Amino acid sequence: MKKLPILLILLFFSAQVFAAGCSDGSELIKSVSKDGTYFVYNCGSGNEQSSSSTTNSKAVAGIDIVNDPNIDFYKPPQKPYPTGKLYWFGRMWQMTDFNKDGFSDVLYIGTMNPNNIDMIGVDTGGICGGGACKGNKPLPSLFLGDAKGKLTYVPHLLIDKREDSGMSLGRQLLVADYNNDSILDFYIADTAVGTHNGFRDSYFLSQSSGTWLESSKTHLSHSNFEVFDHGAATGDIDNDGDMDIVITETNWKTGTALWCLINDGTGYLNKRKCGGIFSFALELADIDDDGDLDVLLGAHEFEKSIDFTGIVWNDGRGNFNKHNNTRLPQHKKRWGSVPEVSAADLDNDGDLDIVYSRAGVLYVGTAIQVIENLGNKKFKDHGIFPLVEAPDDFIPTHEGNEWNDFIEDIRFRDLDKDGDIDLYLSSSMSLKTDGMVLLNQGDFAFELLLPNVAKKYVTIDYKAPVPLSEEQKAEEKAVLDEIAAFEAELEVELAQ
């Protein structure tokens, strides 16, 4: 199905008119931003050149793009050829319309296949004997879709001319139109496999030829910057109409927690420190509904040095002062690992609620935490929704254990077409949790559907049942009444 124009895509996120009005008594005038991704409200009796006019706008976040309800959504294959050969593990993906043909495409990233595997320690930092893993680094994998959901692998469209091209461990895939040409680009946060020192990231910008060129050398202020950016997100953090990037770091020597890559409008990203608190999971969302994007952070709550789970508020200029924060409820006793976080309006009250992916020590067991946004920076924890629970006597020795089914991505769609937002959960390494769905039942109650049951809601041709009209309901009731009357008469006759 062809999509609505992009000006309608973000209507939901920009339709709220500011109630304060204009200081000169004039009405707010709505217009479209230069890049077509949000609405702008100007003061001043229709005179766009008035020097006294002010501008208010809702900042766009990456979660708005990947959860766009106008993009046909379905469960993509977990390991389409040749990703099973290209990537050792961690085939994370994003689904959107990359080539603007009206059909959903899928982009995968993953982890290299090292040729010097030597397992030591308890996590990916010891896979290659405690040093950097060596071997060929794969590129991302783009699959273009058609009307039936058939995916075609198009490796020739992604170009990486770096001498040491490709990914070590692609951890976050950030999709947005960074160079403002109305075509989506993507940034890959690369944590590295074999160490916790990080690896340089990758930055692919769309070209007029219909390809995407890795552009770090020309469009990043620090093209070979290496950081363990386990968390990363994109959004317009300084409200200037272009998409920026925020990545995490846990540098105890310098105290650096967040790096912000600020877009100059052409796709060139300038790196600067921007505050924050040590964390592993990160998302950008306007939680206090003040028009700018705040940072949602998730911790390894078992560790005292990285135990902040909560929100650091935006000062309006893209800075996140660590003292301007709100802690959120933790569940460190059993579910203290927080690998992912996201946000959506789950109760249709106009503000964004928060969903955390949680796991136990060494990622044993899997759960989801849902937190209701009450407004005015107040929140209510609706607790833990267990997805996979290990036996009480199970003792892990490594992250790569049989009970590691953690949720890598949380996506939001009205899957059952009933007017509220449901949760789609993905895990590239688990058959138990990949494709699980939490159907929203209202009032923060959710029905958990296992992948084999949930699949009917995430096929490309799923159609919700058509509601019966009042006339059809009356006819159905009349038939049922007639059957009930007949059964009653038959019962009387048989009893005689």
Side-chain angles (χ1 to χ4, degrees):
M1 178 185 295
K2 292 292 180 182
K3 305 300 177 294
L4 294 174
I6 194 167
L7 297 184
L8 294 180
I9 288 177
L10 296 174
L11 177 62
F12 173 81
F13 304 102
S14 54
Q16 180 182 1
V17 178
F18 294 87
C22 301
S23 58
D24 61 0
S26 62
E27 296 294 325
L28 284 168
I29 300 170
K30 183 170 73 173
S31 59
V32 179
S33 67
K34 291 181 179 180
D35 64 355
T37 57
Y38 58 87
F39 290 118
V40 176
Y41 296 89
N42 294 310
C43 294
S45 303
N47 180 7
E48 296 180 1
Q49 303 302 318
S50 171
S51 60
S52 63
S53 67
T54 60
T55 298
N56 290 309
S57 63
K58 285 286 188 180
V60 178
I63 55 175
D64 301 336
I65 297 171
V66 298
N67 294 308
D68 177 4
N70 295 292
I71 297 293
D72 286 334
F73 180 80
Y74 58 92
K75 180 180 180 179
Q78 192 178 51
K79 192 165 57 174
Y81 182 84
T83 61
K85 293 184 176 181
L86 291 175
Y87 310 137
W88 186 14
F89 60 82
R91 287 167 291 277
M92 303 177 72
W93 54 268
Q94 293 292 2
M95 178 180 293
T96 189
D97 185 4
F98 283 98
N99 62 347
K100 299 193 71 173
D101 65 351
F103 305 121
S104 298
D105 312 311
V106 186
L107 179 65
Y108 293 83
I109 58 174
T111 305
M112 67 182 290
N113 283 291
N115 58 23
N116 61 328
I117 296 175
D118 179 17
M119 294 283 193
I120 64 171
V122 297
D123 55 30
T124 57
I127 283 179
C128 295
C133 288
K134 300 176 181 179
N136 293 327
K137 298 180 180 68
L139 267 62
S141 298
L142 177 61
F143 293 79
L144 298 182
D146 63 15
K148 295 183 179 180
K150 179 183 177 181
L151 296 173
T152 301
Y153 180 49
V154 287
H156 61 283
L157 296 184
L158 305 185
I159 302 169
D160 188 345
K161 296 181 179 180
R162 292 174 295 185
E163 183 176 351
D164 186 14
S165 62
M167 301 171 290
S168 177
L169 194 163
R171 179 64 183 85
Q172 297 286 351
L173 178 55
L174 311 180
V175 175
D177 180 12
Y178 295 109
N179 58 3
N180 287 312
D181 66 350
S182 299
I183 302 291
L184 292 172
D185 314 293
F186 56 97
Y187 185 98
I188 301 168
D190 197 324
T191 60
V193 62
T195 74
H196 290 320
N197 299 325
F199 189 62
R200 55 103 186 98
D201 295 340
S202 298
Y203 185 35
F204 286 80
L205 294 176
S206 58
Q207 306 296 303
S208 58
S209 60
T211 62
W212 284 263
L213 176 66
E214 205 296 316
S215 303
S216 296
K217 186 175 182 179
T218 57
H219 284 76
L220 293 182
S221 62
H222 297 74
S223 59
N224 290 309
F225 177 61
E226 294 184 352
V227 61
F228 185 69
D229 44 4
H230 190 280
T234 186
D236 185 6
I237 64 171
D238 51 4
N239 270 23
D240 65 350
D242 50 43
M243 299 295 283
D244 312 299
I245 290 172
V246 182
I247 58 178
T248 62
E249 183 178 13
T250 48
N251 190 325
W252 286 273
K253 292 181 179 180
T254 64
T256 305
L258 295 180
W259 289 100
C260 288
L261 311 184
I262 303 301
N263 197 334
D264 70 354
T266 69
Y268 186 87
L269 304 179
N270 288 286
K271 178 175 69 73
R272 65 169 172 84
K273 295 181 181 180
C274 51
I277 300 173
F278 289 161
S279 60
F280 278 85
L282 179 152
E283 190 53 85
L284 291 168
D286 184 7
I287 299 299
D288 55 357
D289 200 32
D290 65 350
D292 55 41
L293 300 176
D294 311 299
V295 288
L296 284 165
L297 300 177
H300 271 198
E301 295 166 356
F302 304 118
E303 303 178 38
K304 292 183 179 180
S305 57
I306 320 176
D307 68 347
F308 179 84
T309 294
I311 307 161
V312 183
W313 304 101
N314 193 333
D315 68 356
R317 299 183 299 275
N319 300 300
F320 306 95
N321 188 306
K322 66 180 181 180
H323 301 295
N324 185 19
N325 71 73
T326 298
R327 283 185 174 268
L328 294 173
Q330 297 193 352
H331 293 270
K332 67 173 63 179
K333 185 175 181 180
R334 184 169 185 181
W335 304 105
S337 297
V338 185
E340 192 56 75
V341 59
S342 196
D345 184 4
L346 299 177
D347 54 356
N348 284 333
D349 66 349
D351 55 32
L352 296 177
D353 308 296
I354 301 166
V355 181
Y356 280 105
S357 164
R358 286 186 170 271
V361 174
L362 292 180
Y363 290 83
V364 172
T366 304
I368 290 292
Q369 177 189 12
V370 178
I371 299 174
E372 180 182 0
N373 187 345
L374 302 175
N376 297 314
K377 298 184 179 181
K378 303 295 182 183
F379 302 91
K380 178 181 179 180
D381 184 16
H382 286 272
I384 291 292
F385 295 81
L387 304 178
V388 175
E389 296 185 87
D392 291 338
D393 60 354
F394 178 75
I395 300 175
T397 59
H398 195 277
E399 280 185 353
N401 63 78
E402 63 203 84
W403 293 101
N404 181 346
D405 301 279
F406 82 94
I407 300 303
E408 297 168 339
D409 274 301
I410 306 161
R411 295 174 173 86
F412 302 99
R413 293 291 194 286
D414 182 7
L415 295 173
D416 55 0
K417 317 296 184 188
D418 67 347
D420 53 31
I421 297 298
D422 309 301
L423 284 69
Y424 178 87
L425 310 176
S426 60
S427 174
S428 67
M429 296 176 285
S430 172
L431 295 177
K432 300 179 203 171
T433 56
D434 186 49
M436 276 186 172
V437 164
L438 289 175
L439 285 184
N440 195 337
Q441 304 299 306
D443 197 27
F444 289 90
F446 297 89
E447 178 186 1
L448 174 62
L449 302 182
L450 299 179
N452 63 326
V453 178
K455 63 183 179 181
K456 75 173 186 177
Y457 293 105
V458 288
T459 58
I460 194 167
D461 55 355
Y462 172 72
K463 299 292 187 296
V466 178
L468 296 176
S469 67
E470 293 303 318
E471 182 179 353
Q472 289 171 319
K473 290 179 182 178
E475 291 176 355
E476 184 178 280
K477 185 177 186 304
V479 171
L480 292 174
D481 289 345
E482 186 175 341
I483 293 173
F486 172 77
E487 289 177 341
E489 291 177 6
L490 181 61
E491 185 177 352
V492 171
E493 290 181 7
L494 292 174
Q496 292 177 349

